[in-house]
């Protein structure tokens, strides 16, 4: 390990002091640029950095060599020195040349938005597939940046933008990286196959799956914990949950779902990260029902809702039935609530924090998934193998009230979830 890596590792341990750098593309669009920097700040926090400096330059497009104009780069360097910045984060994707030049001119390690998000993914990935997908995206991102660049390599160590593939894999040449990429691709395929098998078993269990989706900070994890009745951490940080977390949740007698929490969606997900992100969202595409959680107290909530819908379309999940959940109503005045209810009559209003409205949500889930039970009496042929299997399934998935057997016939009175009626009915009844 080099001296430089040690230094960066030490800086990371005491959370880096970061400068955020962005462009104002048109004179009138300053507010947009500031909004974008605010989001970048949230990402920086999630990656463990403190933001001590914000730096915006008005220019229609980035300077091809140094991103900012040369005069501005000098100003940035001086400002960084004055405020003890030890990390520069740029709100765009940088070309390898821009990255190298900026590092040279500012005397600071520089990461771009993509690298920052990759770093967060790497911190949060818990499942094997999530980790592999993140490593794959990191390698693909680094590959073009390895051409004669000691800069890209020397940034590897312990700090932001340095987590992940690790120096042993990257001090090697592109050919070996390519080999690693194909190995990872094979491992991902293996993991996927195993997941598919798991999924089959789940389907055989007849338990419907419900996934929470929504913008970062909407309150998904808080709602997840409330429904799952367990107090695992909910935090303000973005991406606290990258890989889906799944719990079996009992809504009422014989009314169970598999509930999964998912990563927060963000706007402008860098293109190269879509696969890594998608891998973490497999539960969403496969779900029987989505709970789309929106923070209605956020003035940007319409934009967030649209961003989430766009992502759902990108991952082919727009056809999955969804309930719209307007969360954090405790922060609204009753006038604001009334107004919103008029515009979104189908939405469920609740506060995941206080619990207000959560019972209504439970009922809506039960109704939407047809988990309600119906009492029926079913006749089976004891000698028929598939009837015997149906009886076993009845005992597993429904509530048997009485069981009478006579002359090879079995008569069972049972409360069956409506959605399973067709699948549990004896052959002779159809
Ligand atoms: P996630 O990113 O969607 O998982 O959001 P979290 O569940 O981590 O919540 C983000 C922040 O919003 C946390 O600080 C929560 O305490 C807060 N929060 C969640 N639900 C509510 C709510 O109903 N009311 C209020 N006031 N805050 C909430
Ligand atoms: Mg969360």
């Amino acid at each position: 390990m080099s001296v430089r890596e040690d230094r960066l590792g030490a800086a990371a341990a005491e959370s880096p002091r970061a400068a955020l750098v962005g462009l104002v593309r048109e004179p009138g669009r300053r507010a947009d640029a500031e909004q974008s920097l605010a989001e970048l700040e949230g990402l920086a926090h999630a990656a463990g950095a403190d933001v001590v400096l914000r730096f915006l330059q008005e220019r229609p497009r980035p300077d091809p060599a140094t991103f900012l104009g040369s005069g501005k780069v000098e100003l940035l360097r001086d400002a960084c020195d004055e405020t003890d910045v030890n990390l520069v984060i740029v709100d765009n994707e940088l070309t390898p040349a821009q990255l190298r030049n900026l590092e040279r001119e500012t005397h600071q390690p520089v990461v771009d938005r993509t690298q920052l998000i990759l770093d967060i993914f790497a911190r949060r990935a818990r499942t094997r597939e999530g980790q592999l997908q993140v490593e794959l995206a990191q390698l693909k991102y680094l590959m073009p940046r390895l051409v004669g660049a000691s800069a890209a390599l020397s940034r590897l160590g312990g700090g932001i933008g340095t987590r992940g593939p690790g120096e042993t894999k990257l001090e090697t040449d592109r050919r070996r990286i390519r080999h690693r990429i194909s190995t990872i691709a094979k491992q991902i395929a293996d993991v996927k196959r195993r997941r598919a098998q798991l999924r089959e078993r789940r389907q055989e269990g007849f338990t419907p799956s419900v996934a929470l989706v929504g913008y970062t900070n909407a309150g998904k994890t808080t709602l997840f914990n409330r429904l799952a009745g367990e107090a695992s951490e909910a935090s303000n940080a973005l991406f606290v949950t990258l890989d889906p977390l799944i719990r079996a949740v009992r809504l009422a007698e014989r009314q169970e779902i598999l509930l999964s929490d998912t990563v927060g969606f963000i706007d402008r997900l860098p293109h190269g990260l879509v696969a890594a992100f998608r891998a973490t969202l497999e539960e969403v595409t496969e779900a029987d029902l989505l709970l789309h959680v929106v923070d209605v107290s956020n003035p940007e909530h319409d934009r967030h809702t649209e961003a989430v819908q766009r992502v759902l379309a990108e991952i082919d999940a727009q056809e999955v039935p969804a309930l719209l959940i307007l969360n954090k109503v405790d922060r609204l005045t009753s006038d604001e609530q009334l107004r919103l209810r008029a515009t979104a009559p189908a939405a469920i209003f609740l506060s995941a924090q206080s619990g207000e409205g959560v019972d209504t949500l439970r009922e809506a889930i039960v109704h939407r998934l047809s988990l309600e039970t119906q009492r029926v009496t079913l006749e089976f042929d004891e000698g028929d193998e598939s009837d015997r299997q149906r009886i076993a399934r009845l005992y597993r998935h429904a509530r048997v009230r009485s069981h009478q057997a006579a002359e090879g016939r079995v008569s069972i009175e049972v409360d069956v979830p409506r959605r399973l009626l067709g699948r549990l009915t004896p052959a002779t009844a159809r």
Side-chain angles (χ1 to χ4, degrees):
M1 179 170 273
S2 74
V3 172
R4 168 138 200 209
E5 281 157 7
D6 280 344
R7 187 173 61 75
L8 273 178
E14 51 191 58
S15 42
R17 294 169 58 83
L20 305 184
V21 176
L23 295 183
V24 181
R25 304 282 177 148
E26 291 166 46
R29 310 300 294 267
R30 197 170 185 93
D32 287 353
E34 272 163 10
Q35 169 67 32
S36 178
L37 271 204
E39 196 156 302
L40 189 68
E41 177 162 0
L43 293 168
H45 279 154
D50 289 332
V51 174
V52 295
L53 182 68
R54 284 170 201 74
F55 201 90
L56 282 173
Q57 179 181 20
E58 248 183 52
R59 59 182 295 140
R61 65 187 67 81
D63 182 283
T66 50
F67 186 73
L68 298 173
S70 54
K72 283 288 174 181
V73 174
E74 276 175 37
L75 282 179
L76 173 64
R77 183 190 57 214
D78 294 345
C80 286
D81 287 346
E82 268 164 38
T83 49
D84 281 333
V85 160
N86 53 15
L87 179 68
V88 172
I89 303 175
V90 179
D91 193 18
N92 288 71
E93 187 154 323
L94 295 174
T95 66
Q98 285 170 332
L99 191 75
R100 271 200 306 280
N101 295 334
L102 258 185
E103 287 202 328
R104 201 185 50 232
E105 300 291 325
T106 60
H107 309 162
Q108 303 290 345
V110 176
V111 299
D112 64 11
R113 195 170 180 274
T114 305
Q115 242 183 321
L116 186 65
I117 293 173
L118 274 172
D119 185 79
I120 298 166
F121 279 11
R123 279 164 192 258
R124 311 292 194 210
R126 279 192 306 268
T127 66
R128 183 81 187 122
E129 184 184 355
Q131 286 161 353
L132 289 169
Q133 288 284 10
V134 172
E135 184 177 351
L136 189 63
Q138 282 176 319
L139 290 171
K140 284 185 175 164
Y141 176 83
L142 277 170
M143 208 93 119
R145 289 165 173 80
L146 287 179
V147 224
S150 59
L153 279 173
S154 63
R155 276 201 326 280
L156 295 166
I160 288 180
T162 66
R163 197 173 283 268
E167 80 263 27
T168 48
K169 287 167 209 136
L170 287 167
E171 66 207 4
T172 152
D173 62 11
R174 303 179 76 183
R175 201 158 44 87
R176 286 179 57 193
I177 291 181
R178 233 180 252 124
H179 180 72
R180 176 74 191 145
I181 286 178
S182 78
T183 310
I184 293 178
K186 281 197 205 87
Q187 286 174 326
I188 288 173
D190 282 349
V191 173
K192 278 212 162 118
R193 214 169 12 251
R194 246 175 293 143
R195 269 243 216 154
Q197 287 165 356
L198 265 180
R199 201 155 49 230
E200 268 167 36
R201 231 175 293 158
R202 211 161 70 201
Q203 272 159 8
E204 202 215 333
F206 296 101
T207 311
S209 62
V210 176
L212 288 155
V213 297
Y215 210 76
T216 296
N217 257 357
K220 297 178 294 298
T221 301
T222 311
L223 185 57
F224 177 81
N225 290 335
R226 188 163 277 284
L227 289 171
E230 71 142 53
S232 76
E233 130 205 74
S235 134
N236 231 331
L238 306 170
F239 299 111
V240 162
T241 41
L242 177 67
D243 281 303
L245 217 70
I246 305 179
R247 291 269 182 290
V249 172
R250 173 166 307 218
L251 297 169
E253 173 104 25
R254 295 287 164 195
Q255 296 177 356
E256 265 190 26
I257 56 170
L258 289 171
L259 183 66
S260 51
D261 191 9
T262 65
V263 63
F265 295 6
I266 51 163
D267 252 348
R268 295 197 298 139
L269 185 71
H271 192 73
L273 305 196
V274 172
F277 186 63
R278 191 193 283 254
T280 71
L281 290 174
E282 217 171 84
E283 310 296 329
V284 171
T285 344
E286 309 275 328
D288 295 297
L289 178 67
L290 301 180
L291 307 180
H292 179 172
V293 184
V294 177
D295 172 0
V296 271
S297 72
N298 188 314
E300 297 279 321
H301 70 84
D302 282 337
R303 194 175 63 78
H304 292 173
T305 306
E306 281 162 25
V308 169
Q309 261 145 9
R310 234 179 0 255
V311 174
L312 288 176
E314 267 164 33
I315 62 170
D316 295 323
Q318 72 270 51
E319 304 295 332
V320 182
L323 291 174
L324 184 64
I325 293 168
L326 302 184
N327 185 32
K328 308 199 189 181
V329 292
D330 55 290
R331 288 194 182 154
L332 300 182
T333 65
S334 43
D335 274 359
E336 283 170 328
Q337 275 203 47
L338 279 177
R339 232 189 351 262
L340 268 171
R341 277 180 205 272
T343 60
I348 293 168
F349 288 72
L350 58 77
S351 165
Q353 199 168 64
S354 76
E356 177 193 346
V358 173
D359 281 340
T360 313
L361 172 62
R362 286 199 185 89
E363 282 163 24
I365 296 172
V366 166
H367 183 72
R368 212 35 198 272
L369 291 171
S370 301
L371 295 172
E372 296 107 327
T373 56
Q374 185 172 331
R375 183 159 306 175
V376 287
T377 303
L378 302 171
E379 300 278 334
F380 296 94
D381 176 356
E382 222 172 15
D384 184 286
E385 172 58 26
S386 47
D387 267 10
R388 279 204 303 273
Q389 282 174 11
R390 284 193 190 89
I391 293 172
R393 275 197 225 130
L394 270 186
Y395 272 89
R396 256 184 287 139
H397 304 291
R399 183 168 197 207
V400 175
R401 323 226 26 132
S402 75
H403 179 132
Q404 282 158 15
E407 293 160 22
R409 303 293 303 165
V410 178
S411 168
I412 296 178
E413 189 187 26
V414 70
D415 293 335
V416 187
R418 275 201 288 121
R419 55 191 284 276
L420 301 183
L421 262 177
R423 287 145 97 187
L424 294 173
T425 313
T428 48
R430 274 176 293 169

